[in-house]
Amino acid sequence: MKRRLFATVGVIAVLALSACGGTDSEDTASGAPSTSASTPMVSASPSMMMSGQFGSGCTAVPTDPSNPGSFEAMAKVPVATAASGNPLLSTLVTAVKKANLVDSLNGAQGVTVFAPTNDAFAKIPKADLDKVLADDAMLQKVLTYHVVPTQLSPDTLVGTHKTLQGDDVTVTGGGTSFTVNGTSMVVCGNVSTANATVYIVDSVLMPKS
């Protein structure tokens, strides 16, 4: 038991250093489609800003409302299903499925999710990431640290918030520029799903405990 505890703490510590440098029953939560040259992209246009989303990362979101990764389509489905259609979040979707959290996230009401991009996970050495993916308990701890059990608008985002994991996250900034825990930037914010508000971030957040 002690050896397992020490191994778990060690992996989390390594991941924390790396990140500072990014279900089971839902078939729709399979791998997200990759972005191709033929997929239309949104630009940081006034119309996008009027709809509420902001950030440079929003340019990777498809504009066709029939595409499951579009803002319009994501707003109609719960958060884990919505993430499965977003080309920025395929690694996160894989992790959520592995941790058996699809049903929990889809069934939650009025939550805020800080969703790491594929590039955020790529900052973590593959060997360390594979260890976390192989440990369901550790993976659940990391992923639930990205979920706040209240729905935060950009106007209420700044501050310290308790996560489902139990530790706090702290958001600084304002307007359309926000940073989580001092290092993780919001690259596409205020994305609506049927049960959550999503802020896509460029680094994986790591719990302290």
Side-chain angles (χ1 to χ4, degrees):
M1 176 67 74
K2 290 183 177 180
R3 290 182 179 177
R4 177 175 176 81
L5 177 60
F6 291 151
T8 299
V9 172
V11 172
I12 290 178
V14 173
L15 276 174
L17 292 174
S18 302
C20 288
T23 94
D24 42 357
S25 63
E26 288 281 346
D27 291 339
T28 53
S30 58
S34 60
T35 304
S36 67
S38 60
T39 302
M41 299 295 174
V42 297
S43 59
S45 64
S47 61
M48 184 191 77
M49 297 303 293
M50 288 177 61
S51 66
Q53 297 85 24
F54 59 84
S56 60
C58 295
T59 59
V61 177
T63 58
D64 183 353
S66 67
N67 189 304
S70 68
F71 291 131
E72 292 88 343
M74 291 176 69
K76 298 175 182 178
V77 294
V79 63
T81 303
S84 70
N86 191 304
L88 294 172
L89 304 176
S90 58
T91 305
L92 175 62
V93 170
T94 298
V96 168
K97 289 183 64 182
K98 180 67 177 60
N100 297 318
L101 290 175
V102 168
D103 289 341
S104 297
L105 290 176
N106 278 347
Q109 294 300 317
V111 298
T112 297
V113 177
F114 296 101
T117 63
N118 297 337
D119 288 342
F121 282 99
K123 294 178 181 179
I124 302 172
K126 186 178 184 302
D128 297 326
L129 181 59
D130 288 345
K131 288 179 182 178
V132 173
L133 291 174
D135 187 329
D136 289 351
M138 184 189 305
L139 188 58
Q140 286 182 0
K141 178 183 289 189
V142 172
L143 293 176
T144 54
Y145 183 61
H146 290 74
V147 183
V148 174
T150 55
Q151 204 153 3
L152 301 172
S153 68
D155 290 340
T156 59
L157 187 59
V158 171
T160 299
H161 311 285
K162 185 73 68 178
T163 69
L164 289 182
Q165 179 270 341
D167 288 346
D168 294 335
V169 292
T170 300
V171 183
T172 56
T176 59
S177 178
F178 298 94
T179 303
V180 187
N181 287 354
T183 57
S184 189
M185 301 291 295
V186 174
V187 296
C188 185
N190 202 32
V191 178
S192 295
T193 75
N195 67 328
T197 300
V198 178
Y199 294 88
I200 300 174
V201 294
D202 68 358
S203 296
V204 177
L205 307 175
M206 298 305 303
K208 297 176 182 178
S209 61

